[in-house]
Amino acid sequence: MKAQVSRTLARNEFRCTGKAMEVALDLAMSAGCVSGRVILFNSGMVNVGPGSMVDPYGPKCYTQRVETSVLIESSDFFRELGSLGIENGIGIDVLCSGVVGVPAFQALVRPSEGYVLLHNAFDSSDFHWR
C-alpha cells in the first residue's frame, strides 16, 4: 500500500494555492501599507485545501475532468479572496502555466481588475533575465 501511495503522489504535486493566497493576503494586509499587489505564479490545478478543483490522489491533473459544481465552488472561494484583497487595497494578478482552472482565477482577479495571463511554461526564455 505504501509503495502505491508514493507512486500516486509522485504523479501529482500538491497545490494548495487557495491557502497560499490566504497567507499572501494576510501578509500584505498586516504590512500596514495602503495598497499593494500580489502576483500568483501557478502551474497546475489546485488539488489540496480551500479552492480545490481536482483530487490530488487521482490521475494526472490534466486528465481529470473538473465537475461544474466543484469549479463553481472554487470560483466562489477565490472571488471572496479577491474581494477581501480589494477591500484592503490589494490587487491580484495571476500568471498560469499548464492546465489550470482559469474561471476560478478570473474570479480571483476580477474584483481588482487584475489579469490572468496564460503561458506555456515558466522555464521558457520569456522568464529569464538577459
Side-chain angles (χ1 to χ4, degrees):
M1 179 69 172
K2 186 176 181 181
Q4 181 181 5
V5 170
S6 49
R7 274 194 305 251
T8 303
L9 288 176
R11 277 195 265 159
N12 291 323
E13 296 176 7
F14 288 134
R15 290 186 178 88
C16 49
T17 311
K19 189 50 119 175
M21 280 304 302
E22 285 179 338
V23 170
L25 288 174
D26 284 345
L27 286 171
M29 289 185 295
S30 68
C33 298
V34 177
S35 65
R37 192 137 210 104
V38 173
I39 301 174
L40 168 67
F41 288 82
N42 186 43
S43 63
M45 290 218 204
V46 183
N47 60 10
V48 175
S52 278
M53 296 177 229
V54 293
D55 179 11
Y57 297 105
K60 286 268 197 194
C61 289
Y62 59 82
T63 63
Q64 292 187 50
R65 182 177 180 277
V66 179
E67 296 295 325
T68 304
S69 61
V70 173
L71 187 57
I72 290 170
E73 189 176 314
S74 181
S75 296
D76 289 345
F77 169 77
F78 283 112
R79 185 177 301 107
E80 288 177 23
L81 275 183
S83 296
L84 175 66
I86 200 62
E87 287 169 10
N88 290 282
I90 301 165
I92 301 170
D93 294 310
V94 179
L95 282 82
C96 299
S97 164
V99 177
V100 295
V102 172
F105 292 122
Q106 286 175 325
L108 175 65
V109 303
R110 190 168 290 126
S112 66
E113 297 182 6
Y115 295 96
V116 175
L117 303 173
L118 302 173
H119 202 276
N120 289 338
F122 293 130
D123 61 355
S124 72
S125 61
D126 295 339
F127 290 99
H128 293 274
W129 292 100
R130 296 175 213 257

